[in-house]
């Protein structure tokens, strides 16, 4: 167990400690797809993950509600002395990260649909984006998609109902197959060659998607890019951990622990917390 030293500055504010945890939050289990990338790249970093499944889906909520929930999650991670926060949720990033960065003195890393690489690589000049309503209607998403819409047709599709099924452990269900077929058909008709997954829950559907989609369609998400950015920022801020042994990874959920435990391996500790 690494030695944790808490250093208080003279005004009582916690000074940043390299061995403090990286905090990660999402509306539920989706951000685990990001946690996995971060843990693979930075295996010695301690992490604290918040799955706010009680309030999922964020994607159907108003920008004000999404901001309020993002603030609640941020403050809990700050109480737990996290040194950097990953907003592992496209919906929360596109609606709240600007506010979080302006109001809390800690680095934030967010995630947005990977439109840029898809737009630059597309040969059919048509790409699909599957994301939540909250993401697709956000100002940030409009700004990013606007940068590419002169040369590329972007087919946007709200993945209504997908997060609810994933959160209730129904990835392999008939309802899921029906929804995916319904959402992907219009994109296939328009001849997309890239499908951008704009929600951190959707990488858990990758096996299903590769069965439904023709081989010429590439599915991309931003998980690896987020992990790389976390490493870059920790390096820049000289906040990389000094820990050289196994990291401590704590997962909190505010609903039952089963669905979260099922997508993690057995060594991960999942606890229930009211938040
Ligand atoms: N996983 C989240 C995202 O990336 C939010 C899903 C939701 O709660 O609607 O957008």
């Amino acid at each position: 167990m690494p030695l944790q030293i808490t250093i208080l500055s003279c005004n009582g504010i916690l000074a940043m400690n390299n061995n403090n945890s990286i905090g990660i939050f999402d509306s539920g289990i989706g951000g685990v797809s990001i946690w996995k990338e971060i843990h693979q790249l930075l295996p010695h970093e301690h992490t604290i993950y918040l799955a706010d499944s009680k309030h999922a889906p964020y994607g159907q909520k108003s920008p004000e509600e999404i901001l309020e929930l993002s603030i609640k999650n941020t403050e809990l991670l700050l109480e737990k002395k996290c040194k950097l926060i990953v907003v592992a949720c496209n919906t929360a990033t596109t609606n709240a990260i600007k506010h979080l960065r302006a109001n809390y003195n800690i680095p934030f890393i967010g995630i947005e649909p990977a439109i840029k690489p898809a737009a630059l690589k597309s040969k059919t000049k048509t790409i699909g984006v599957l994301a939540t309503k909250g993401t697709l209607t956000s100002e940030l998403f409009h700004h990013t998609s606007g940068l590419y819409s002169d040369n590329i047709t972007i087919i946007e599709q709200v993945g209504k109902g997908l997060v609810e099924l994933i959160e209730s452990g129904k990835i392999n269900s008939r309802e899921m197959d029906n929804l995916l077929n319904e959402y992907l058909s219009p994109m296939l008709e328009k001849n997309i060659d890239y499908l951008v997954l704009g929600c951190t829950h959707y990488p858990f559907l990758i096996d299903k998607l590769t069965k439904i989609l023709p081989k010429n369609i590439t599915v991309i998400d931003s998980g690896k890019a987020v992990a790389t950015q976390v490493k870059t920022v920790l390096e820049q801020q000289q906040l990389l951990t000094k820990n050289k042994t196994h990291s401590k990874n704590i997962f909190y959920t505010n609903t039952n622990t089963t669905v979260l435990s099922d997508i993690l391996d057995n060594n991960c500790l999942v606890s229930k917390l009211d938040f």
Side-chain angles (χ1 to χ4, degrees), residues 26-27 56-59 89-91 132 135 163 198-201:
D26 179 44
S27 62
Y58 282 13
C89 174
N90 292 261
T91 312
T132 68
T135 294
V163 167
C199 170
T200 54
H201 280 73

Side-chain angles (χ1 to χ4, degrees), residues 29-196:
I29 64 171
V32 172
S33 61
I34 307 300
W35 173 82
K36 285 185 177 170
E37 299 289 355
I38 295 170
H39 184 59
Q40 199 176 329
L41 187 67
L42 300 165
H44 301 300
E45 291 289 342
H46 304 300
T47 62
I48 299 177
Y49 183 93
L50 297 184
D52 188 13
S53 297
K54 188 159 98 184
H55 300 103
Y58 282 13
Q60 294 296 114
K61 297 189 191 303
S62 68
E64 294 74 26
E65 288 173 304
I66 297 166
L67 177 60
E68 202 179 306
L69 291 165
S70 302
I71 290 173
K72 164 186 70 74
N73 297 332
T74 296
E75 295 198 344
L76 180 51
L77 289 170
L78 290 177
E79 264 173 41
K80 297 193 176 295
K81 317 209 181 330
C82 290
K83 61 182 177 183
L84 172 147
I85 293 180
V86 180
V87 182
C89 174
N90 292 261
T91 312
T93 300
T94 51
N95 286 276
I97 204 160
K98 202 170 155 193
H99 176 98
L100 299 177
R101 285 186 173 138
N103 286 278
Y104 298 95
N105 192 17
I106 183 175
F108 285 90
I109 310 291
I111 180 162
E112 278 185 76
I115 295 177
K116 183 177 176 182
L120 294 178
K121 287 181 196 156
S122 174
K123 291 197 170 58
T124 63
K125 300 288 173 214
T126 310
I127 65 169
V129 181
L130 188 61
T132 68
K133 181 171 160 233
T135 294
L136 294 176
T137 55
S138 68
E139 231 176 81
L140 191 54
F141 178 80
H142 283 146
H143 173 75
T144 311
S145 62
L147 298 176
Y148 301 97
S149 53
D150 280 353
N151 306 317
I152 294 281
T153 304
I154 302 174
I155 318 280
E156 298 172 16
Q157 175 64 54
V158 174
K160 189 159 190 268
L162 299 179
V163 167
E164 290 90 323
L165 288 175
I166 296 167
E167 284 291 320
S168 48
K170 291 185 184 157
I171 290 177
N172 294 310
S173 63
R174 186 181 294 258
E175 295 122 285
M176 181 63 86
D177 291 346
N178 290 343
L179 284 182
L180 287 177
N181 280 310
E182 181 188 329
Y183 296 157
L184 297 173
S185 297
M187 297 191 187
L188 297 180
E189 276 163 26
K190 300 250 165 60
N191 199 23
I192 63 161
D193 58 356
Y194 277 85
L195 173 65
V196 178

